[in-house]
Amino acid sequence: MRVWLTGGTGFVGSNIVHEALTDGADVMTTVHRFVPEGPVGYATDRVDMTDEAAVRSSIERFSPDVVVHCAILNDLSRLYVDREAGWRAYVTATGIVADAANAAGASFVVVSTDWVFDGTQPGADEATPPNPVNLYGVLKLASELVALERGGAVARVSGVNGVHRCRPDSPRRQDPGFGYFVASLVDTLRRGEPFTVWESDDINMVATPSLASESARMILRIGELGLSGVFHCCGRDAMGRMALAELACEVFDLDAGLIRSGPPDPDAMPGAPVPYDTSLTAPRTSELLRREPTPVRRLLERFRTEYEAVA
Ligand SMILES: NC(=O)c1ccc[n+]([C@@H]2O[C@H](COP(=O)([O-])OP(=O)(O)OC[C@H]3O[C@@H](n4cnc5c(N)ncnc54)[C@H](OP(=O)(O)O)[C@@H]3O)[C@@H](O)[C@H]2O)c1
């Protein structure tokens, strides 16, 4: 299989690259600001996802079977400051990549998020109508619609934990979402320092944690099968932040006595509403991929193995 993707140097994208290579695929990813050094086992192409001619030419030359659009302008505050740039980076870019994939006869998958839901829709499945509460969610939802109207697939991931396969040293901090939550907890407790689990009505308090490598496998499978429509590429269990922290302590053999509860760091708040409960279910995904979602304990056990392998 030949896989072309955007954002293969990012957190989720680097896991897609890693899993595809593990399966023997030929991989090309766009690179943007960060360029990996040395022989990496995959091809790179310096392409801005908003540059239609460059995207089309890169995909044409590589001739992939599967195209995954995973790159993102990952800066919620900036989206509000420059809304046109935000629209271009999300919605226009998704159309550009989807059209180029279609022109090359490749299947197309765009990676999306549980933040298309408003935080009052617990257990949302693939058919639940989204209702985003911030501009990131709006732009992701608009990108989803662009992908769907072009016959592509939408792979929503949520509460993504795991190892960054391209930049393992990149800073891992707690934020108002669930991404990097377990990694930042484990890093802190392993130093013997206390970790304050943020608890507040103003942040994402409940989600369905995923493991980046497993979500990556699901995304690749959707592309390989040429499926279309919406998929939830997440784990099985909805969880609150404190319950996840306590379970992570059990799985990683850490001292749960170092866990505190407290309000979020005001400097980390995005200045925009954050959905409270974005838990997902995945009946359509389970049926079409013929796999049951993985319990969160098992995901954390696998995360521990990955974490210790790169340490
Ligand atoms: N992480 C999570 O917890 C989470 C949760 C839900 C959904 N998601 C979804 O997962 C996807 C990936 O997120 P992530 O957390 O992996 O993001 P990330 O680590 O910030 O990676 C973003 C990637 O996009 C690239 N990029 C940025 N601007 C670009 C441009 N103009 N042209 C080409 N490439 C560009 C970046 O390259 P440079 O670094 O070189 O600029 C980087 O490789 C997104 O669709 C996001 O919505 C993530």
Side-chain angles (χ1 to χ4, degrees):
M1 186 164 74
R2 294 176 68 75
V3 179
W4 184 100
L5 75 159
T6 61
T9 60
F11 173 40
V12 176
S14 65
N15 276 274
I16 297 174
V17 170
H18 185 266
E19 296 305 314
L21 292 176
T22 304
D23 279 355
D26 293 320
V27 178
M28 171 178 275
T29 180
T30 61
V31 290
H32 181 233
R33 289 168 306 187
F34 174 82
V35 180
E37 280 174 14
V40 285
Y42 53 90
T44 60
D45 204 1
R46 191 183 276 276
V47 169
D48 189 302
M49 62 182 163
T50 61
D51 181 338
E52 185 171 3
V55 168
R56 187 172 282 260
S57 145
S58 179
I59 290 181
E60 250 173 37
R61 275 182 284 115
F62 189 67
S63 188
D65 305 298
V66 174
V67 167
V68 181
H69 179 37
C70 196
I72 187 176
L73 170 56
N74 208 349
D75 184 343
L76 181 52
S77 313
R78 190 169 152 212
L79 299 181
Y80 283 91
V81 174
D82 188 345
R83 293 181 187 212
E84 286 187 13
W87 188 270
R88 245 189 342 271
Y90 282 67
V91 189
T92 309
T94 302
I96 287 172
V97 181
D99 285 342
N102 281 341
S107 61
F108 175 72
V109 187
V110 65
V111 180
S112 193
T113 173
D114 54 339
W115 281 30
V116 295
F117 296 109
D118 66 15
T120 70
Q121 302 169 281
D125 69 18
E126 298 90 338
T128 303
N131 181 32
V133 294
N134 59 39
L135 189 49
Y136 168 66
V138 168
L139 294 173
K140 291 302 286 187
L141 176 58
S143 305
E144 289 187 356
L145 297 175
V146 161
L148 294 173
E149 75 179 6
R150 285 159 167 84
V154 168
R156 293 185 186 135
V157 297
S158 62
V160 190
N161 287 283
V163 171
H164 197 309
R165 295 284 180 187
C166 188
R167 289 173 263 183
D169 298 333
S170 41
R172 301 183 283 205
R173 293 186 204 95
Q174 187 175 193
D175 66 31
F178 268 64
Y180 289 126
F181 179 82
V182 174
S184 58
L185 171 107
V186 172
D187 291 347
T188 307
L189 295 194
R190 284 198 166 180
R191 290 194 302 269
E193 296 167 13
F195 182 87
T196 300
V197 175
W198 298 347
E199 295 194 286
S200 155
D201 289 345
D202 299 329
I203 61 172
N204 196 186
M205 284 295 291
V206 184
T208 311
S210 313
L211 182 66
S213 56
E214 178 173 280
S215 298
R217 286 208 158 261
M218 296 168 79
I219 290 164
L220 288 164
R221 187 77 182 134
I222 291 164
E224 187 180 16
L225 294 172
L227 300 174
S228 56
V230 176
F231 296 84
H232 286 176
C233 299
C234 57
R236 186 190 69 179
D237 304 320
M239 275 218 144
R241 301 172 82 89
M242 186 56 81
L244 181 59
E246 287 167 353
L247 185 60
C249 282
E250 267 181 59
V251 171
F252 280 79
D253 293 315
L254 294 165
D255 179 5
L258 289 170
I259 296 179
R260 316 272 183 270
S261 167
D265 175 356
D267 292 340
M269 295 302 285
V274 172
Y276 182 89
D277 179 344
T278 57
S279 53
L280 302 177
T281 52
R284 175 178 194 264
T285 307
S286 301
E287 187 188 336
L288 293 183
L289 296 188
R290 296 189 186 171
R291 63 185 300 286
E292 288 306 311
T294 309
V296 65
R297 176 182 286 276
R298 179 77 193 109
L299 290 179
L300 289 175
E301 287 166 356
R302 286 175 42 201
F303 179 25
R304 181 173 181 177
T305 305
E306 293 179 3
Y307 181 97
E308 290 173 355
V310 298

